[in-house]
Amino acid sequence: MSGRGPARRGVLTAAAGLAAVAAAAPGAQAAERSGAGTARSRWTTSWATAQTAPTATDTVASAGLTDGTCVTNVRLSAGGNVRLRYGHAFGTAPVLVGPVTAGGLPVTFGGQRQAWLAAGSSLTSDAVAGLRAPEAARLTVETKLPGPTGPLSFHRNTHASHSVDGERTTSVFLLTGVEVTGAHGPVIAVLGDSITEGVGTPDDADLRWPDQLARRLPGSAVANLGISGNRLLLDDARFGPGGQARFDRDVLSLPGLRTVLVHLGVNDLQQPPSQTDPALVLAGYRQLVLRARNAGLRTVGATIAPFGGWTRWTPELEAVRQRINAAVRTGRVFDAVVDFDAALRDAGNPARLLPAYDSGDGLHPNPSGHAALAAAVDRRHLL
């Protein structure tokens, strides 16, 4: 399903005469070094995605590319000078990346047009000379992969249109983040599942609730780390490592981060094997909170939204959901709470989504439901 998004606040253009990126200047380098390691990075992640390993049904990612071209279209949240980040979390061999362009301008890595991305590692570019993105800009990144690459780490479905060798795809290969210097509001990572990823919203409309949250908070940087099917506790070959397993790589590695919003748990309940012990889910949440606090981050926890119309819902799982949500609402698990259950439920049947918010499957909210989720987040909890 595809659709048109709301009026865009600044389609990205690469114009001659834009100031050269500040990161190339000595003053910017000094800013990066200042504080003897205590100052926060001047860079923040304006767009991000979390990776999984390909399965046999993911034909392009599992086969890899030779002389391939990946075109990725991203919607930024905060703006500013721009640099790119690549990752190969599930790789077994290095991949040569480049040449790369962003907004039509050349991207370098340590001054070179190509660089090796090590297996299991990440690769950050230089600031893109001549490129300064406005807030909410759409940025096109073109990445050449000489290959043969072997299997590629990727994000399966970003609910946006990209291309590989001219063929449309909603997957993103190797690119994991676009970082900027202009965030002047909250800097947030959202660790989530398919609802965070955007299931229930049309492709290319930018109506996922993290997108709508970013629009509510001018100057904010919001990293969408949702993976469809993802769980808090257990790993899955298709849906990736669970939230606990991927937390350090996907969240703690992000520059300039202030707050983590955790929206995981429904898949622990409804996917086999179902987790029916609320204490284990709550213990998993608490472990994330401890790790975030150790990194100086604030955590906001979301209650688990209703899924009474979903095919695997049962009254027993509903009771587990209610017990988890009751514990989260006490405020003794996370630093702050956003009540997604209250934002989406049908008052007449609290186990189900309000019909006006249901995409049709009983689990995933539609764009109006995503708007309700974004509206439920209190800005004061993100600072």
Side-chain angles (χ1 to χ4, degrees), residues 273-297:
S274 294
Q275 178 52 254
T276 58
D277 185 350
L280 293 180
V281 174
L282 294 169
Y285 289 154
R286 291 189 177 97
Q287 284 299 309
L288 297 186
V289 172
L290 285 171
R291 289 155 69 185
R293 287 175 178 166
N294 287 342
L297 304 180

Side-chain angles (χ1 to χ4, degrees), residues 284-366:
Y285 289 154
R286 291 189 177 97
Q287 284 299 309
L288 297 186
V289 172
L290 285 171
R291 289 155 69 185
R293 287 175 178 166
N294 287 342
L297 304 180
R298 180 175 178 80
T299 58
V300 178
T303 54
I304 301 174
F307 65 105
W310 182 246
T311 54
R312 288 195 286 267
W313 179 89
T314 67
E316 292 75 21
L317 293 180
E318 177 64 17
V320 176
R321 184 181 77 90
Q322 293 291 353
R323 290 176 62 188
I324 293 170
N325 285 351
V328 169
R329 288 190 184 102
T330 66
R332 293 193 293 270
V333 179
F334 296 97
D335 297 318
V337 177
V338 55
D339 200 339
F340 281 176
D341 174 35
L344 294 182
R345 68 189 176 212
D346 182 349
N349 187 354
R352 301 179 68 103
L353 296 171
L354 187 72
Y357 292 159
D358 192 346
S359 67
D361 64 12
L363 172 62
H364 299 100
N366 61 20

Side-chain angles (χ1 to χ4, degrees), residues 8 36 56 60 94 125 151 183 185 187 235 254 264 293 298 320 378 381:
R8 292 171 171 80
V60 174
S125 79
V187 180
D235 302 344
L254 300 182
L264 288 170
R293 287 175 178 166
R298 180 175 178 80
V320 176
D378 190 332
H381 294 159

Side-chain angles (χ1 to χ4, degrees), residues 72-148:
T72 307
N73 299 300
V74 305
R75 171 57 62 86
L76 303 182
S77 46
N81 300 325
V82 172
R83 70 183 185 187
L84 308 181
R85 186 178 188 184
Y86 291 84
H88 200 11
F90 302 93
T92 57
V95 174
L96 183 61
V97 175
V100 176
T101 62
L105 295 172
V107 176
T108 59
F109 305 86
Q112 304 300 311
R113 292 301 311 279
Q114 292 181 308
W116 286 98
L117 170 60
S121 187
S122 64
L123 172 69
T124 301
S125 79
D126 305 325
V128 183
L131 181 60
R132 185 172 179 85
E135 289 181 21
R138 189 176 292 281
L139 176 67
T140 297
V141 177
E142 182 176 288
T143 304
K144 302 283 189 181
L145 298 175

Side-chain angles (χ1 to χ4, degrees), residues 11-358:
V11 175
L12 182 64
T13 58
L18 288 174
V21 286
Q29 295 168 357
E32 294 265 21
R33 294 191 299 265
S34 65
T38 60
R40 290 186 181 273
S41 170
R42 62 189 291 270
W43 292 95
T44 60
T45 300
S46 182
W47 172 91
T49 194
Q51 293 184 330
T52 59
T55 64
T57 60
D58 302 305
T59 54
V60 174
S62 59
L65 298 171
T66 299
D67 295 324
T69 301
C70 300
V71 176
T72 307
N73 299 300
V74 305
R75 171 57 62 86
L76 303 182
S77 46
N81 300 325
V82 172
R83 70 183 185 187
L84 308 181
R85 186 178 188 184
Y86 291 84
H88 200 11
F90 302 93
T92 57
V95 174
L96 183 61
V97 175
V100 176
T101 62
L105 295 172
V107 176
T108 59
F109 305 86
Q112 304 300 311
R113 292 301 311 279
Q114 292 181 308
W116 286 98
L117 170 60
S121 187
S122 64
L123 172 69
T124 301
S125 79
D126 305 325
V128 183
L131 181 60
R132 185 172 179 85
E135 289 181 21
R138 189 176 292 281
L139 176 67
T140 297
V141 177
E142 182 176 288
T143 304
K144 302 283 189 181
L145 298 175
T149 64
L152 293 169
S153 305
F154 80 133
H155 186 99
R156 186 171 289 108
N157 188 1
T158 63
H159 302 277
S161 296
H162 317 288
S163 69
V164 176
D165 292 339
E167 297 293 326
R168 181 185 182 272
T169 180
T170 58
S171 299
V172 170
F173 303 86
L174 298 185
L175 184 68
T176 58
V178 178
E179 299 172 0
V180 300
T181 58
H184 53 84
V187 180
I188 310 143
V190 183
L191 185 71
D193 50 34
S194 57
I195 297 175
T196 295
E197 185 192 68
V199 174
T201 67
D203 290 351
D204 303 313
D206 301 314
L207 292 176
R208 298 159 291 233
W209 74 261
D211 298 319
Q212 301 199 52
L213 176 63
R215 288 195 287 273
R216 282 189 53 224
L217 305 171
S220 64
V222 180
N224 185 334
L225 304 176
I227 298 176
S228 186
N230 203 232
R231 300 168 69 128
L232 173 69
L233 301 176
L234 298 183
D235 302 344
D236 185 272
R238 181 167 180 81
F239 303 133
Q244 291 196 102
R246 67 187 180 99
F247 189 75
D248 290 13
R249 179 183 64 246
D250 288 351
V251 176
L252 298 186
S253 66
L254 300 182
L257 190 63
R258 297 293 184 93
T259 303
V260 184
L261 197 159
V262 178
H263 185 211
L264 288 170
V266 69
N267 291 320
D268 294 79
L269 305 187
Q270 65 88 17
Q271 284 184 17
S274 294
Q275 178 52 254
T276 58
D277 185 350
L280 293 180
V281 174
L282 294 169
Y285 289 154
R286 291 189 177 97
Q287 284 299 309
L288 297 186
V289 172
L290 285 171
R291 289 155 69 185
R293 287 175 178 166
N294 287 342
L297 304 180
R298 180 175 178 80
T299 58
V300 178
T303 54
I304 301 174
F307 65 105
W310 182 246
T311 54
R312 288 195 286 267
W313 179 89
T314 67
E316 292 75 21
L317 293 180
E318 177 64 17
V320 176
R321 184 181 77 90
Q322 293 291 353
R323 290 176 62 188
I324 293 170
N325 285 351
V328 169
R329 288 190 184 102
T330 66
R332 293 193 293 270
V333 179
F334 296 97
D335 297 318
V337 177
V338 55
D339 200 339
F340 281 176
D341 174 35
L344 294 182
R345 68 189 176 212
D346 182 349
N349 187 354
R352 301 179 68 103
L353 296 171
L354 187 72
Y357 292 159
D358 192 346

